[in-house]
Amino acid sequence: MKVLYTIFSILIASSGAFAQGFNVKSFTADIYLDTSGYFDVVENYDLDFTQEKHGIYREINTDYKIQTSDGKEEKRKLVL
């Protein structure tokens, strides 16, 4: 869990090279895993807008591939 938070923090901190009209003051992502394989992700942003905007745009990948414990590759799709 701490590894995921660190990765997200690094990605957000490095996003300064891509000026989008806002600065990220802080970002947190809480990921809740269920024993049945389901998960919830809650993201919180603290932003300073440097240009007039209506908000931010998030692209969430819902199709992905995963390697199972027996080495097989499976396609998965998130249900939103």
Side-chain angles (χ1 to χ4, degrees), residues 19-73:
Q20 297 181 8
F22 60 88
N23 297 314
V24 180
K25 290 172 43 178
S26 68
F27 167 79
T28 59
D30 296 318
I31 302 169
Y32 302 96
L33 302 173
D34 188 86
T35 55
S36 62
Y38 294 98
F39 63 92
D40 289 316
V41 178
V42 178
E43 296 179 342
N44 290 294
Y45 295 86
D46 186 4
L47 307 172
D48 278 334
F49 286 91
T50 57
Q51 300 173 358
E52 288 189 25
K53 298 271 185 182
H54 292 282
I56 62 171
Y57 177 77
R58 291 282 291 121
E59 185 174 323
I60 300 172
N61 188 11
T62 58
D63 296 314
Y64 62 97
K65 294 178 184 177
I66 189 170
Q67 187 173 7
T68 63
S69 59
D70 59 355
K72 294 180 184 177
E73 190 175 90

